Amino acid sequence: FLFFLGVKSALWIPDFQHHYLFKFFSKQEILHRNQKFEKIIRHSSFLVLSSEDSRKDLKKFYSHKNKNIFVLNFRANLNKKWLKKDPNLILKKYNLPEKFFLISNQFWKHKNHLLVFKALDYLKNKKNIQPNLVLTGKLFYDDLYGKDLINDIEKRNLKNQIFILGLIPKKDQFLLMRKSIAIIQPS
């Protein structure tokens, strides 16, 4: 932290999900997040939060003693040049099928990817329908939950229907959104 140098700092706390969705965080992760947030609150000149709800949560869970708090809501930044691009080109770039659903999300338990895999399994085995699913976001293969996701895909025999692209450029993500049948937000 820059407070050691006497430099003013503005630090961001994204959310307080670990207080509400604690079953998705280990005790060690909860402790680490609380310690990190306490340090940010104590030593930053300004706090940046993503919503008014986060401001309420800050007051509920932490003492912040007259901090300068700013709420900067998330905004979509659409580059109008992307509207001129042919979304079909994205299929070739990532070797994707013509029709697919899209999930662009972090790979956290509370984002509920497993529910979608379960739905794909049901459609495949009970209704003989095999929709394709494209996933973007960083998947931590060495993480226990990342391994659980990969194992679930293999166990349900969905490897031919699920395409994990990892982190991709925002422009590509936008083209995928334009090309997809629908965007799924399972959380």
Side-chain angles (χ1 to χ4, degrees), residues 77-109:
N77 180 15
L78 175 62
N79 184 329
K80 292 180 182 173
K81 292 177 187 174
W82 299 347
L83 291 170
K84 296 176 183 173
K85 299 278 184 190
D86 180 2
N88 290 306
L89 297 176
I90 205 70
L91 301 179
K92 292 177 187 165
K93 180 174 182 177
Y94 292 105
N95 196 28
L96 297 174
E98 178 69 27
K99 294 183 179 182
F100 61 89
F101 291 90
L102 176 66
I103 298 178
S104 291
N105 237 331
Q106 297 179 56
F107 287 89
W108 294 98
K109 284 184 186 178

mmCIF file of all heavy atoms in Angstrom, residues 77-109:
data_model
loop_
_atom_site.group_PDB
_atom_site.id
_atom_site.type_symbol
_atom_site.label_atom_id
_atom_site.label_comp_id
_atom_site.label_asym_id
_atom_site.label_seq_id
_atom_site.Cartn_x
_atom_site.Cartn_y
_atom_site.Cartn_z
ATOM 1 N N ASN A 77 -18.759 -0.615 -21.947
ATOM 2 C CA ASN A 77 -18.066 0.241 -22.894
ATOM 3 C C ASN A 77 -18.149 -0.418 -24.264
ATOM 4 O O ASN A 77 -17.411 -1.352 -24.553
ATOM 5 C CB ASN A 77 -16.612 0.435 -22.472
ATOM 6 C CG ASN A 77 -15.854 1.321 -23.422
ATOM 7 O OD1 ASN A 77 -16.444 2.020 -24.247
ATOM 8 N ND2 ASN A 77 -14.543 1.307 -23.333
ATOM 9 N N LEU A 78 -19.051 0.048 -25.078
ATOM 10 C CA LEU A 78 -19.252 -0.531 -26.402
ATOM 11 C C LEU A 78 -18.521 0.289 -27.442
ATOM 12 O O LEU A 78 -18.817 1.459 -27.644
ATOM 13 C CB LEU A 78 -20.747 -0.591 -26.733
ATOM 14 C CG LEU A 78 -21.103 -1.068 -28.126
ATOM 15 C CD1 LEU A 78 -20.626 -2.499 -28.338
ATOM 16 C CD2 LEU A 78 -22.590 -0.977 -28.346
ATOM 17 N N ASN A 79 -17.570 -0.334 -28.058
ATOM 18 C CA ASN A 79 -16.868 0.297 -29.156
ATOM 19 C C ASN A 79 -17.735 0.135 -30.407
ATOM 20 O O ASN A 79 -17.991 -0.989 -30.851
ATOM 21 C CB ASN A 79 -15.503 -0.368 -29.329
ATOM 22 C CG ASN A 79 -14.666 0.290 -30.374
ATOM 23 O OD1 ASN A 79 -15.174 0.838 -31.351
ATOM 24 N ND2 ASN A 79 -13.357 0.238 -30.185
ATOM 25 N N LYS A 80 -18.186 1.224 -30.958
ATOM 26 C CA LYS A 80 -19.117 1.165 -32.097
ATOM 27 C C LYS A 80 -18.517 0.492 -33.327
ATOM 28 O O LYS A 80 -19.240 -0.018 -34.165
ATOM 29 C CB LYS A 80 -19.627 2.565 -32.425
ATOM 30 C CG LYS A 80 -20.524 3.098 -31.327
ATOM 31 C CD LYS A 80 -21.049 4.465 -31.624
ATOM 32 C CE LYS A 80 -21.896 4.901 -30.429
ATOM 33 N NZ LYS A 80 -22.326 6.253 -30.521
ATOM 34 N N LYS A 81 -17.198 0.446 -33.409
ATOM 35 C CA LYS A 81 -16.542 -0.256 -34.521
ATOM 36 C C LYS A 81 -16.881 -1.749 -34.479
ATOM 37 O O LYS A 81 -16.908 -2.411 -35.504
ATOM 38 C CB LYS A 81 -15.028 -0.065 -34.461
ATOM 39 C CG LYS A 81 -14.565 1.338 -34.731
ATOM 40 C CD LYS A 81 -13.057 1.432 -34.583
ATOM 41 C CE LYS A 81 -12.582 2.861 -34.692
ATOM 42 N NZ LYS A 81 -11.147 2.975 -34.412
ATOM 43 N N TRP A 82 -17.119 -2.274 -33.277
ATOM 44 C CA TRP A 82 -17.422 -3.696 -33.124
ATOM 45 C C TRP A 82 -18.751 -4.048 -33.774
ATOM 46 O O TRP A 82 -18.957 -5.183 -34.185
ATOM 47 C CB TRP A 82 -17.453 -4.097 -31.667
ATOM 48 C CG TRP A 82 -16.163 -3.900 -30.938
ATOM 49 C CD1 TRP A 82 -14.922 -3.635 -31.485
ATOM 50 C CD2 TRP A 82 -15.957 -3.940 -29.536
ATOM 51 N NE1 TRP A 82 -13.982 -3.516 -30.497
ATOM 52 C CE2 TRP A 82 -14.590 -3.698 -29.294
ATOM 53 C CE3 TRP A 82 -16.797 -4.160 -28.455
ATOM 54 C CZ2 TRP A 82 -14.047 -3.669 -28.016
ATOM 55 C CZ3 TRP A 82 -16.259 -4.135 -27.181
ATOM 56 C CH2 TRP A 82 -14.906 -3.898 -26.975
ATOM 57 N N LEU A 83 -19.649 -3.090 -33.889
ATOM 58 C CA LEU A 83 -20.949 -3.335 -34.524
ATOM 59 C C LEU A 83 -20.799 -3.598 -36.023
ATOM 60 O O LEU A 83 -21.657 -4.216 -36.642
ATOM 61 C CB LEU A 83 -21.899 -2.154 -34.303
ATOM 62 C CG LEU A 83 -22.385 -1.969 -32.873
ATOM 63 C CD1 LEU A 83 -23.110 -0.638 -32.727
ATOM 64 C CD2 LEU A 83 -23.286 -3.119 -32.462
ATOM 65 N N LYS A 84 -19.702 -3.117 -36.593
ATOM 66 C CA LYS A 84 -19.465 -3.288 -38.028
ATOM 67 C C LYS A 84 -18.800 -4.619 -38.352
ATOM 68 O O LYS A 84 -18.749 -5.028 -39.500
ATOM 69 C CB LYS A 84 -18.617 -2.131 -38.547
ATOM 70 C CG LYS A 84 -19.326 -0.791 -38.434
ATOM 71 C CD LYS A 84 -18.440 0.350 -38.868
ATOM 72 C CE LYS A 84 -19.185 1.666 -38.658
ATOM 73 N NZ LYS A 84 -18.350 2.818 -38.894
ATOM 74 N N LYS A 85 -18.283 -5.284 -37.342
ATOM 75 C CA LYS A 85 -17.603 -6.568 -37.548
ATOM 76 C C LYS A 85 -18.627 -7.668 -37.798
ATOM 77 O O LYS A 85 -19.709 -7.684 -37.217
ATOM 78 C CB LYS A 85 -16.770 -6.943 -36.316
ATOM 79 C CG LYS A 85 -15.685 -5.956 -35.983
ATOM 80 C CD LYS A 85 -14.477 -6.196 -36.809
ATOM 81 C CE LYS A 85 -13.364 -5.242 -36.380
ATOM 82 N NZ LYS A 85 -12.254 -5.264 -37.279
ATOM 83 N N ASP A 86 -18.267 -8.600 -38.631
ATOM 84 C CA ASP A 86 -19.124 -9.754 -38.918
ATOM 85 C C ASP A 86 -18.985 -10.764 -37.783
ATOM 86 O O ASP A 86 -17.907 -11.336 -37.582
ATOM 87 C CB ASP A 86 -18.705 -10.379 -40.246
ATOM 88 C CG ASP A 86 -19.532 -11.589 -40.625
ATOM 89 O OD1 ASP A 86 -20.466 -11.948 -39.881
ATOM 90 O OD2 ASP A 86 -19.240 -12.182 -41.691
ATOM 91 N N PRO A 87 -20.066 -11.017 -37.019
ATOM 92 C CA PRO A 87 -19.951 -11.947 -35.890
ATOM 93 C C PRO A 87 -19.662 -13.388 -36.312
ATOM 94 O O PRO A 87 -19.203 -14.188 -35.502
ATOM 95 C CB PRO A 87 -21.299 -11.830 -35.182
ATOM 96 C CG PRO A 87 -22.214 -11.218 -36.152
ATOM 97 C CD PRO A 87 -21.395 -10.441 -37.124
ATOM 98 N N ASN A 88 -19.886 -13.707 -37.574
ATOM 99 C CA ASN A 88 -19.585 -15.062 -38.052
ATOM 100 C C ASN A 88 -18.084 -15.355 -38.029
ATOM 101 O O ASN A 88 -17.686 -16.516 -37.945
ATOM 102 C CB ASN A 88 -20.150 -15.270 -39.458
ATOM 103 C CG ASN A 88 -21.653 -15.328 -39.439
ATOM 104 O OD1 ASN A 88 -22.252 -16.123 -38.708
ATOM 105 N ND2 ASN A 88 -22.286 -14.465 -40.213
ATOM 106 N N LEU A 89 -17.267 -14.308 -38.089
ATOM 107 C CA LEU A 89 -15.812 -14.501 -38.071
ATOM 108 C C LEU A 89 -15.337 -15.098 -36.747
ATOM 109 O O LEU A 89 -14.320 -15.788 -36.700
ATOM 110 C CB LEU A 89 -15.097 -13.172 -38.330
ATOM 111 C CG LEU A 89 -15.362 -12.533 -39.704
ATOM 112 C CD1 LEU A 89 -14.684 -11.176 -39.801
ATOM 113 C CD2 LEU A 89 -14.892 -13.465 -40.812
ATOM 114 N N ILE A 90 -16.089 -14.830 -35.684
ATOM 115 C CA ILE A 90 -15.689 -15.340 -34.368
ATOM 116 C C ILE A 90 -15.791 -16.864 -34.312
ATOM 117 O O ILE A 90 -15.051 -17.514 -33.584
ATOM 118 C CB ILE A 90 -16.516 -14.646 -33.247
ATOM 119 C CG1 ILE A 90 -15.741 -14.665 -31.933
ATOM 120 C CG2 ILE A 90 -17.874 -15.257 -33.065
ATOM 121 C CD1 ILE A 90 -14.550 -13.771 -31.904
ATOM 122 N N LEU A 91 -16.695 -17.415 -35.090
ATOM 123 C CA LEU A 91 -16.848 -18.872 -35.122
ATOM 124 C C LEU A 91 -15.587 -19.530 -35.655
ATOM 125 O O LEU A 91 -15.123 -20.537 -35.109
ATOM 126 C CB LEU A 91 -18.046 -19.271 -35.992
ATOM 127 C CG LEU A 91 -19.411 -18.725 -35.583
ATOM 128 C CD1 LEU A 91 -20.482 -19.191 -36.553
ATOM 129 C CD2 LEU A 91 -19.750 -19.123 -34.165
ATOM 130 N N LYS A 92 -15.032 -18.950 -36.690
ATOM 131 C CA LYS A 92 -13.808 -19.500 -37.269
ATOM 132 C C LYS A 92 -12.624 -19.331 -36.322
ATOM 133 O O LYS A 92 -11.819 -20.246 -36.156
ATOM 134 C CB LYS A 92 -13.503 -18.814 -38.602
ATOM 135 C CG LYS A 92 -14.495 -19.140 -39.692
ATOM 136 C CD LYS A 92 -14.193 -18.375 -40.961
ATOM 137 C CE LYS A 92 -15.313 -18.603 -41.963
ATOM 138 N NZ LYS A 92 -15.275 -17.655 -43.056
ATOM 139 N N LYS A 93 -12.547 -18.161 -35.706
ATOM 140 C CA LYS A 93 -11.411 -17.875 -34.823
ATOM 141 C C LYS A 93 -11.310 -18.892 -33.688
ATOM 142 O O LYS A 93 -10.214 -19.338 -33.354
ATOM 143 C CB LYS A 93 -11.536 -16.468 -34.246
ATOM 144 C CG LYS A 93 -10.388 -16.109 -33.326
ATOM 145 C CD LYS A 93 -10.432 -14.667 -32.878
ATOM 146 C CE LYS A 93 -9.232 -14.350 -31.990
ATOM 147 N NZ LYS A 93 -9.206 -12.948 -31.596
ATOM 148 N N TYR A 94 -12.457 -19.272 -33.103
ATOM 149 C CA TYR A 94 -12.441 -20.172 -31.952
ATOM 150 C C TYR A 94 -12.946 -21.581 -32.290
ATOM 151 O O TYR A 94 -13.130 -22.396 -31.403
ATOM 152 C CB TYR A 94 -13.263 -19.582 -30.804
ATOM 153 C CG TYR A 94 -12.621 -18.345 -30.223
ATOM 154 C CD1 TYR A 94 -13.131 -17.080 -30.503
ATOM 155 C CD2 TYR A 94 -11.503 -18.437 -29.398
ATOM 156 C CE1 TYR A 94 -12.545 -15.935 -29.967
ATOM 157 C CE2 TYR A 94 -10.907 -17.304 -28.868
ATOM 158 C CZ TYR A 94 -11.438 -16.052 -29.155
ATOM 159 O OH TYR A 94 -10.847 -14.931 -28.624
ATOM 160 N N ASN A 95 -13.150 -21.826 -33.580
ATOM 161 C CA ASN A 95 -13.608 -23.147 -34.026
ATOM 162 C C ASN A 95 -14.888 -23.566 -33.294
ATOM 163 O O ASN A 95 -14.943 -24.629 -32.671
ATOM 164 C CB ASN A 95 -12.501 -24.184 -33.848
ATOM 165 C CG ASN A 95 -12.777 -25.451 -34.637
ATOM 166 O OD1 ASN A 95 -13.455 -25.421 -35.666
ATOM 167 N ND2 ASN A 95 -12.270 -26.562 -34.157
ATOM 168 N N LEU A 96 -15.908 -22.716 -33.392
ATOM 169 C CA LEU A 96 -17.162 -22.929 -32.679
ATOM 170 C C LEU A 96 -18.275 -23.360 -33.629
ATOM 171 O O LEU A 96 -18.235 -23.052 -34.823
ATOM 172 C CB LEU A 96 -17.589 -21.633 -31.973
ATOM 173 C CG LEU A 96 -16.637 -21.127 -30.896
ATOM 174 C CD1 LEU A 96 -17.088 -19.768 -30.390
ATOM 175 C CD2 LEU A 96 -16.530 -22.128 -29.763
ATOM 176 N N PRO A 97 -19.283 -24.027 -33.093
ATOM 177 C CA PRO A 97 -20.439 -24.400 -33.908
ATOM 178 C C PRO A 97 -21.280 -23.164 -34.248
ATOM 179 O O PRO A 97 -21.152 -22.117 -33.611
ATOM 180 C CB PRO A 97 -21.219 -25.352 -33.008
ATOM 181 C CG PRO A 97 -20.816 -24.981 -31.628
ATOM 182 C CD PRO A 97 -19.397 -24.496 -31.717
ATOM 183 N N GLU A 98 -22.149 -23.307 -35.224
ATOM 184 C CA GLU A 98 -23.002 -22.201 -35.688
ATOM 185 C C GLU A 98 -23.944 -21.697 -34.594
ATOM 186 O O GLU A 98 -24.156 -20.501 -34.454
ATOM 187 C CB GLU A 98 -23.812 -22.668 -36.909
ATOM 188 C CG GLU A 98 -24.768 -21.642 -37.472
ATOM 189 C CD GLU A 98 -24.077 -20.463 -38.142
ATOM 190 O OE1 GLU A 98 -22.942 -20.618 -38.636
ATOM 191 O OE2 GLU A 98 -24.684 -19.381 -38.158
ATOM 192 N N LYS A 99 -24.499 -22.601 -33.808
ATOM 193 C CA LYS A 99 -25.461 -22.226 -32.770
ATOM 194 C C LYS A 99 -24.917 -22.608 -31.392
ATOM 195 O O LYS A 99 -24.439 -23.726 -31.207
ATOM 196 C CB LYS A 99 -26.806 -22.911 -32.998
ATOM 197 C CG LYS A 99 -27.501 -22.437 -34.253
ATOM 198 C CD LYS A 99 -28.853 -23.079 -34.391
ATOM 199 C CE LYS A 99 -29.532 -22.558 -35.650
ATOM 200 N NZ LYS A 99 -30.869 -23.109 -35.805
ATOM 201 N N PHE A 100 -25.035 -21.683 -30.444
ATOM 202 C CA PHE A 100 -24.552 -21.940 -29.088
ATOM 203 C C PHE A 100 -25.169 -20.939 -28.116
ATOM 204 O O PHE A 100 -25.618 -19.866 -28.487
ATOM 205 C CB PHE A 100 -23.021 -21.851 -29.024
ATOM 206 C CG PHE A 100 -22.479 -20.502 -29.407
ATOM 207 C CD1 PHE A 100 -22.308 -19.495 -28.460
ATOM 208 C CD2 PHE A 100 -22.136 -20.235 -30.729
ATOM 209 C CE1 PHE A 100 -21.814 -18.250 -28.823
ATOM 210 C CE2 PHE A 100 -21.648 -18.995 -31.104
ATOM 211 C CZ PHE A 100 -21.488 -17.998 -30.145
ATOM 212 N N PHE A 101 -25.176 -21.344 -26.850
ATOM 213 C CA PHE A 101 -25.506 -20.450 -25.751
ATOM 214 C C PHE A 101 -24.184 -19.981 -25.153
ATOM 215 O O PHE A 101 -23.155 -20.655 -25.292
ATOM 216 C CB PHE A 101 -26.338 -21.178 -24.689
ATOM 217 C CG PHE A 101 -27.714 -21.530 -25.170
ATOM 218 C CD1 PHE A 101 -27.952 -22.742 -25.797
ATOM 219 C CD2 PHE A 101 -28.768 -20.645 -25.004
ATOM 220 C CE1 PHE A 101 -29.215 -23.075 -26.251
ATOM 221 C CE2 PHE A 101 -30.040 -20.958 -25.450
ATOM 222 C CZ PHE A 101 -30.267 -22.182 -26.084
ATOM 223 N N LEU A 102 -24.204 -18.844 -24.479
ATOM 224 C CA LEU A 102 -22.975 -18.249 -23.969
ATOM 225 C C LEU A 102 -23.084 -17.949 -22.481
ATOM 226 O O LEU A 102 -24.092 -17.409 -22.028
ATOM 227 C CB LEU A 102 -22.684 -16.940 -24.726
ATOM 228 C CG LEU A 102 -21.485 -16.120 -24.282
ATOM 229 C CD1 LEU A 102 -20.183 -16.859 -24.548
ATOM 230 C CD2 LEU A 102 -21.484 -14.771 -24.993
ATOM 231 N N ILE A 103 -22.039 -18.307 -21.741
ATOM 232 C CA ILE A 103 -21.864 -17.866 -20.354
ATOM 233 C C ILE A 103 -20.516 -17.170 -20.283
ATOM 234 O O ILE A 103 -19.481 -17.789 -20.519
ATOM 235 C CB ILE A 103 -21.897 -19.036 -19.349
ATOM 236 C CG1 ILE A 103 -23.240 -19.750 -19.381
ATOM 237 C CG2 ILE A 103 -21.599 -18.515 -17.936
ATOM 238 C CD1 ILE A 103 -23.320 -20.951 -18.455
ATOM 239 N N SER A 104 -20.548 -15.888 -19.976
ATOM 240 C CA SER A 104 -19.315 -15.121 -19.762
ATOM 241 C C SER A 104 -19.277 -14.758 -18.288
ATOM 242 O O SER A 104 -19.952 -13.825 -17.856
ATOM 243 C CB SER A 104 -19.309 -13.854 -20.625
ATOM 244 O OG SER A 104 -19.194 -14.200 -21.982
ATOM 245 N N ASN A 105 -18.509 -15.503 -17.545
ATOM 246 C CA ASN A 105 -18.534 -15.379 -16.097
ATOM 247 C C ASN A 105 -17.221 -15.828 -15.492
ATOM 248 O O ASN A 105 -16.495 -16.613 -16.089
ATOM 249 C CB ASN A 105 -19.616 -16.313 -15.542
ATOM 250 C CG ASN A 105 -20.647 -15.610 -14.728
ATOM 251 O OD1 ASN A 105 -20.361 -14.594 -14.121
ATOM 252 N ND2 ASN A 105 -21.835 -16.147 -14.703
ATOM 253 N N GLN A 106 -16.962 -15.377 -14.289
ATOM 254 C CA GLN A 106 -15.865 -15.948 -13.535
ATOM 255 C C GLN A 106 -16.263 -17.372 -13.131
ATOM 256 O O GLN A 106 -17.438 -17.666 -12.980
ATOM 257 C CB GLN A 106 -15.612 -15.134 -12.275
ATOM 258 C CG GLN A 106 -15.186 -13.714 -12.538
ATOM 259 C CD GLN A 106 -14.974 -12.984 -11.232
ATOM 260 O OE1 GLN A 106 -14.197 -13.416 -10.388
ATOM 261 N NE2 GLN A 106 -15.665 -11.879 -11.064
ATOM 262 N N PHE A 107 -15.289 -18.206 -12.950
ATOM 263 C CA PHE A 107 -15.571 -19.580 -12.544
ATOM 264 C C PHE A 107 -15.510 -19.687 -11.022
ATOM 265 O O PHE A 107 -14.531 -20.154 -10.450
ATOM 266 C CB PHE A 107 -14.594 -20.550 -13.217
ATOM 267 C CG PHE A 107 -14.871 -20.733 -14.683
ATOM 268 C CD1 PHE A 107 -14.287 -19.905 -15.621
ATOM 269 C CD2 PHE A 107 -15.739 -21.716 -15.110
ATOM 270 C CE1 PHE A 107 -14.550 -20.067 -16.972
ATOM 271 C CE2 PHE A 107 -16.010 -21.893 -16.468
ATOM 272 C CZ PHE A 107 -15.414 -21.062 -17.390
ATOM 273 N N TRP A 108 -16.575 -19.237 -10.392
ATOM 274 C CA TRP A 108 -16.748 -19.338 -8.943
ATOM 275 C C TRP A 108 -17.963 -20.201 -8.680
ATOM 276 O O TRP A 108 -18.907 -20.235 -9.473
ATOM 277 C CB TRP A 108 -16.970 -17.960 -8.313
ATOM 278 C CG TRP A 108 -15.796 -17.044 -8.397
ATOM 279 C CD1 TRP A 108 -15.591 -16.061 -9.322
ATOM 280 C CD2 TRP A 108 -14.670 -17.002 -7.525
ATOM 281 N NE1 TRP A 108 -14.402 -15.413 -9.077
ATOM 282 C CE2 TRP A 108 -13.824 -15.972 -7.974
ATOM 283 C CE3 TRP A 108 -14.300 -17.738 -6.401
ATOM 284 C CZ2 TRP A 108 -12.622 -15.664 -7.343
ATOM 285 C CZ3 TRP A 108 -13.112 -17.412 -5.777
ATOM 286 C CH2 TRP A 108 -12.290 -16.394 -6.250
ATOM 287 N N LYS A 109 -17.984 -20.884 -7.539
ATOM 288 C CA LYS A 109 -19.110 -21.770 -7.216
ATOM 289 C C LYS A 109 -20.435 -21.047 -7.274
ATOM 290 O O LYS A 109 -21.427 -21.580 -7.774
ATOM 291 C CB LYS A 109 -18.934 -22.378 -5.823
ATOM 292 C CG LYS A 109 -17.930 -23.476 -5.750
ATOM 293 C CD LYS A 109 -17.889 -24.071 -4.358
ATOM 294 C CE LYS A 109 -16.774 -25.080 -4.257
ATOM 295 N NZ LYS A 109 -16.669 -25.635 -2.908
#
